[in-house]
Amino acid sequence: MEWIRISSNKLKIMLSAEDARRYALDCETADYADVMTRKAFRDILTDVKQKADFDATEDKVYIQMYPSKEGGCELFVTKMGLLLSDDSAQPIPKADPKRPKNAVRTSPPRLRRAAFFFSDLNHLTALCRRLSGSYSGESEVWLDEKEKWWLLLTDNGNPLTLCKEYPFVQEYGRSVNVNEARAWLPEHGKKLCAPSAIETFRKF
């Protein structure tokens, strides 16, 4: 088992095929609601606690799991208790002395990112046809080493409202953590089309 510390509340854990068997963890069939899967996660976090100086055994955690080419899997563990992590802290802007006191303060548009995973190409192309004409942001299509398809979206807006604006996306693909997908895909996938993948793949 190997690991990479991403930030104070994020850890990437790499399990070999032998490690996965030792923890009775099958990335292809694991069910987050299953008792044995949750036990495997607890055992992994307990073992990595001392070695990586990353204690997530008492925190509420978010775990994303991806298969690796060698037969093992990769886990991205995020401790949800730390609301402000090292990589999310932003410096406080200084006041502009030339700015009128009654001037209206405007905030830059928020950058919204999302990632979706598809079991086959047909589901991806069907979603692209549904999004074509209504979605105006950038889109990327990736193919991973397991021949699975991914759609990454980037536009301006509140990330929490994406599924409200496009409620049908969950009918075609599974939503995944976009930051972890963007970290994982360059190592285990190939970008096929960007930045207008939706318009390209809607024609398939």
Side-chain angles (χ1 to χ4, degrees), residues 19-194:
D19 292 330
R21 285 193 295 271
R22 180 161 57 90
Y23 289 109
L25 187 63
D26 187 338
C27 189
E28 299 292 343
T29 61
D31 182 353
Y32 292 91
D34 180 67
V35 174
M36 295 304 296
T37 300
R38 294 200 301 270
K39 180 181 182 303
F41 287 157
R42 285 196 301 269
D43 291 343
I44 292 170
L45 294 177
T46 299
D47 290 346
V48 82
K49 174 181 175 180
Q50 297 295 332
K51 299 176 182 178
D53 190 27
F54 186 86
D55 185 3
T57 55
E58 302 297 329
D59 286 272
K60 181 178 180 180
V61 296
Y62 178 71
I63 300 177
Q64 286 286 106
M65 182 167 56
Y66 301 95
S68 62
K69 184 165 57 177
E70 295 77 13
C73 57
E74 296 181 353
L75 305 178
F76 288 84
V77 182
T78 303
K79 292 194 287 186
M80 305 302 291
L82 296 179
L83 299 180
L84 291 178
S85 62
D86 294 339
D87 57 355
S88 65
Q90 298 293 329
I92 300 175
K94 295 182 179 180
D96 184 356
K98 298 181 181 179
R99 186 171 181 267
K101 292 183 179 180
N102 60 349
V104 177
R105 183 182 297 274
T106 59
S107 300
R110 298 178 65 182
L111 197 61
R112 176 169 64 182
R113 299 177 185 272
F116 299 93
F117 170 81
F118 303 87
S119 58
D120 60 56
L121 178 60
N122 290 333
H123 290 153
L124 168 62
T125 56
L127 177 58
C128 288
R129 286 192 289 270
R130 290 285 299 272
L131 288 172
S132 178
S134 60
Y135 179 79
S136 58
E138 296 183 358
S139 53
E140 306 172 23
V141 166
W142 291 70
L143 182 66
D144 69 20
E145 58 198 11
K146 296 285 188 178
E147 302 296 318
K148 302 300 183 182
W149 299 85
W150 300 72
L151 176 66
L152 274 57
L153 305 178
T154 304
D155 68 348
N156 292 326
N158 186 341
L160 301 178
T161 64
L162 181 70
C163 289
K164 292 182 179 179
E165 294 178 31
Y166 307 101
F168 50 81
V169 294
Q170 303 286 4
E171 299 175 15
Y172 300 94
R174 179 164 59 90
S175 176
V176 298
N177 184 284
V178 64
N179 294 326
E180 294 166 4
R182 286 188 175 277
W184 183 81
L185 281 171
E187 297 182 32
H188 302 280
K190 180 180 180 182
K191 185 190 295 185
L192 300 183
C193 186

